[in-house]
Amino acid sequence: MSPVTAPKSEAVAANQLCLAGNACGPTAALNALRHGSAVYQAVAAGIPGDNDTKQLRDLVLHQGSRTSRHTPHRRRWSLRGINAVDLTDLINELLLSSPAPEVRLWIPQGSDKATRMYRRIARSLKVGFPPIVGLRRYAGFEVIDSHYVTVVGVAPCANGDENAFVLTYLDPMGARTLQGIVRCEKRGKSWRCVADCPQTPVGLRRAKVPSQLHVDSLIVAP
């Protein structure tokens, strides 16, 4: 595993709070496009609006307001936010008239280890699309809260731990560039991917019992 960074790491990140507290999905998508290769940057620039608020509003009112192909009688984006399959569809609709490769949803399986996830993230960064990570807090099997962030860099852990890696990401809540550690832990016969992101405490205050933040999904370029 070697360090990989986003094609345009110096791009300006959008802040979901300029639109709504539940707009992390569209904002993470906009940030991925802005920090991607030239073809993805062009898609971001083509979204109507001369500032973050207008561009995010356009995403929500157009692609986000369409009926989900996966959840009948429900729009993609709502007060509950947007799920990963609908967010993938939203991004691919933006890419329809672009030569940029489509993105796909990847759900970590029970047997996935850190090296496999690292390769998925690194490949997408090299292709030009900064992956979108779906984080979800669990208390046992209960889901407490979820959030999306955009990956702009991955690197091996300094201590050589092959079951973990360092994630540099854009948190759309405040448009902050932060770092965390993803650690794949073996429990019984399967693995689970735990995200140690202390500056992104998704749902922590709402958890009344011990909880963990997991990497629940990845939207990546193939």
Side-chain angles (χ1 to χ4, degrees):
M1 298 191 295
S2 57
V4 186
T5 57
K8 192 175 182 182
S9 56
E10 74 278 11
V12 177
N15 184 346
Q16 71 184 76
L17 296 177
C18 73
L19 182 68
N22 60 341
C24 62
T27 310
L30 178 58
N31 285 335
L33 296 171
R34 285 183 178 179
H35 290 77
S37 60
V39 285
Y40 289 109
Q41 293 171 40
V43 174
I47 298 171
D50 57 6
N51 58 42
D52 293 351
T53 303
K54 292 178 181 178
Q55 285 196 309
L56 289 172
R57 183 179 290 120
D58 186 83
L59 288 179
V60 167
L61 292 178
H62 291 91
Q63 286 77 18
S65 66
R66 291 176 182 162
T67 302
S68 170
R69 295 191 301 115
H70 313 278
T71 307
H73 313 299
R74 179 180 171 184
R75 292 183 178 181
R76 290 172 176 166
W77 185 84
S78 68
L79 292 177
R80 298 171 60 186
I82 186 170
N83 63 41
V85 288
D86 287 325
L87 183 57
T88 304
D89 287 349
L90 181 153
I91 295 168
N92 281 330
E93 280 190 10
L94 293 172
L95 301 178
L96 280 176
S97 59
S98 166
E102 286 192 346
V103 298
R104 63 181 59 170
L105 178 63
W106 184 67
I107 305 295
Q109 302 299 312
S111 59
D112 285 329
K113 300 180 182 180
T115 50
R116 187 168 184 225
M117 182 176 292
Y118 191 100
R119 291 190 188 110
R120 288 272 181 169
I121 293 172
R123 176 176 172 79
S124 190
L125 285 167
K126 291 175 182 177
V127 169
F129 183 81
I132 297 171
V133 172
L135 299 173
R136 184 169 287 181
R137 183 168 297 280
Y138 289 89
F141 292 102
E142 180 187 0
V143 177
I144 304 298
D145 202 356
S146 59
H147 188 51
Y148 293 104
V149 299
T150 304
V151 180
V152 291
V154 285
C157 286
N159 63 4
D161 186 352
E162 293 185 353
N163 290 325
F165 57 87
V166 178
L167 199 71
T168 302
Y169 63 94
L170 295 169
D171 189 336
M173 183 69 76
R176 300 174 297 162
T177 302
L178 304 171
Q179 279 195 337
I181 295 177
V182 173
R183 180 170 287 102
C184 292
E185 303 176 347
K186 191 170 186 180
R187 294 294 177 93
K189 296 182 179 180
S190 64
W191 294 76
R192 62 180 180 181
C193 301
V194 178
D196 182 8
C197 302
Q199 292 175 284
T200 303
V202 181
L204 184 60
R205 292 184 180 180
R206 295 172 54 191
K208 298 179 181 179
V209 296
S211 63
Q212 282 188 321
L213 193 63
H214 291 188
V215 174
D216 202 60
S217 62
L218 285 172
I219 300 174
V220 295

